[in-house]
Amino acid sequence: MKKIALLGHGVVGSGVMEILTKNQKLLARQAGEPVEAAWVLDRRAFPGLPYSQRFTQDFSLIREDPEVAVVLEALGGVEPAFTWVREALLAGKSVVTSNKELVAEKGAELLALAQEKGVHFLFEASVGGGIPILQPLRESLTANHITEIAGILNGTTNYILTKMFQEGAAFGDALREAQELGYAEADPTADVEGHDACRKICILASIAFGSHFYPKEVPTQGITRISPEDVAYAAQWGGTVKLIGRVRRAPDGRAALEVSPMLVPGDCLLSGVSGVFNAIQVTGDMVGTTLFYGPGAGKLPTASAMVGDLLPALTQPAGSRPLPWGPARPELPQPWEEHAAQAFLRVAGMEPDALETFFPGARFLEPLAAGEAAFITAPATQGEVDAALEAAGAAGGKLLSRITVLEGSR
Ligand code: HSE
């Protein structure tokens, strides 16, 4: 019998217990013996479950139990998760987590500790829900310099955008549904303001570049300012609007990270990704562009990724090929002003002829309302777009919308 402990019996944690129960025989076959959750830690009591008697609120019982080889952490948030994960690793137990906030803030430190203690620290479930993305990135694509990762990384906001702009739902109703379906964070501000997608692109970038990127350094904008007018212009242009997390390798080797709504062309596979689904486009200098697609949030998909990590943690020796993820290098992030960018702009109070003097090479769309102009800039940097907007503003132009174009690189 292989014994594990689970921290957190919320949406994802209860999904882990469901998989351990329903697919018990399959897992036993793969692990070589039955796998059982000896402890489930949660502040709440869950009477009436076949495993109700295994609940505890005392982490020290788990830490001190010599039979527990792996701790699965599905609490979310940095504390107390960080303290307990650290203690579990120090006690020589492997850890599997779905906690993107924890990994984005403390990944380098916890990986180093796991390496020192000769145990696993695995977190496939922290990005893209049930989509296998970290394992391919750290194994199958290692022959490449990763030049770009661009993804729909948050199921809640993709669900909301789909409901609003394909089905005409109101923002509040769509968010409520996403919460009821167990997609949203405990505080859904993290979803709608882009913080959750930001944590995920930081994890992907840290693996791709081999050093830690902190969410607070990443320019991040959510979906709350996207209007039906923006989506209508996007359709006229031949695409749609999606919340995208992106990292690109600049020609000088620095990393340009950002999270924002982007105009996605219709011929890009990301434009067809609807509802809670996520998709992550990874481009390598040798392989070209690859796409990983699947359910990006929810109980069983996320739990599936956690249990997927549990098996190697139970059966394989740790540390033979450590993940190259070192401490942050301050010189690596490229400042936002220098990011290559092409922008969709909507400006009131100025005619196209006048705007063209500030934005040479702009491609104008058919205006959908009197008194405004909508256009796609020529390739530039975000700083150049800022400067042109400031000059146009001084000449009477009023900015209504600014959305980066996904394909925009110089
Ligand atoms: N709130 C997250 C999302 C959960 O909507 O994508 C999965 O990480």
Side-chain angles (χ1 to χ4, degrees), residues 100 126 153-157 183-185 191 196 200 278 296-298 302:
K100 46 268 161 118
S126 65
L153 297 170
N154 181 268
T156 300
T157 45
Y183 302 153
E185 296 301 295
D191 296 295
D196 179 75
K200 293 166 177 167
N278 282 192
T302 313

Side-chain angles (χ1 to χ4, degrees), residues 266-278:
D267 59 3
C268 171
L269 288 169
L270 294 178
S271 74
V273 176
S274 300
V276 72
F277 282 81
N278 282 192

Side-chain angles (χ1 to χ4, degrees), residues 97-354:
T97 183
S98 58
N99 186 339
K100 46 268 161 118
E101 197 173 351
L102 175 71
V103 180
E105 292 296 339
K106 305 286 187 185
E109 183 179 341
L110 292 171
L111 280 162
L113 181 57
Q115 175 71 8
E116 185 190 316
K117 303 303 289 183
V119 293
H120 294 270
F121 178 60
L122 300 170
F123 42 88
E124 182 64 66
S126 65
V127 179
I131 306 171
I133 173 65
L134 303 189
Q135 197 67 3
L137 202 53
R138 68 180 288 182
E139 296 206 338
S140 323
L141 292 170
T142 45
N144 294 263
H145 292 104
I146 301 300
T147 52
E148 177 171 325
I149 302 175
I152 294 170
L153 297 170
N154 181 268
T156 300
T157 45
N158 206 47
Y159 185 86
I160 293 172
L161 290 175
T162 304
K163 285 274 164 185
M164 284 175 71
F165 298 121
Q166 286 179 14
E167 300 172 25
F171 179 90
D173 292 340
L175 172 59
R176 225 176 348 270
E177 278 177 42
Q179 287 176 297
E180 281 162 15
L181 289 163
Y183 302 153
E185 296 301 295
D187 173 4
T189 318
D191 296 295
V192 297
E193 296 297 354
H195 305 309
D196 179 75
C198 177
R199 292 165 189 149
K200 293 166 177 167
I201 197 66
C202 284
I203 295 170
L204 293 166
S206 300
I207 296 175
F209 282 76
S211 64
H212 198 109
F213 291 94
Y214 287 100
K216 64 175 185 298
E217 295 166 351
V218 177
T220 298
Q221 192 191 315
I223 63 166
T224 48
R225 278 184 264 168
I226 297 299
S227 67
E229 291 79 10
D230 296 328
V231 176
Y233 277 115
Q236 188 196 131
W237 172 73
T240 189
V241 181
K242 294 286 185 190
L243 182 68
I244 301 289
R246 175 168 72 171
V247 57
R248 283 173 296 169
R249 195 179 292 269
D252 62 7
R254 287 182 298 166
L257 277 91
E258 66 189 300
V259 174
S260 70
M262 291 191 194
L263 228 59
V264 180
D267 59 3
C268 171
L269 288 169
L270 294 178
S271 74
V273 176
S274 300
V276 72
F277 282 81
N278 282 192
I280 303 134
Q281 199 170 273
V282 180
T283 305
D285 59 351
M286 296 295 129
V287 69
T289 297
T290 59
L291 185 76
F292 300 83
Y293 170 83
K299 178 176 168 168
L300 291 176
T302 313
S304 157
M306 284 194 90
V307 178
D309 274 349
L310 172 60
L311 286 166
L314 282 171
T315 58
Q316 290 169 16
S320 56
R321 262 190 68 223
L323 186 60
W325 175 335
R329 284 192 282 147
E331 73 283 7
L332 209 48
Q334 186 187 47
W336 188 78
E337 300 71 38
E338 295 177 34
H339 288 194
Q342 203 168 5
F344 160 78
L345 300 174
R346 198 154 67 91
V347 177
M350 224 178 208
E351 293 299 320
D353 283 355

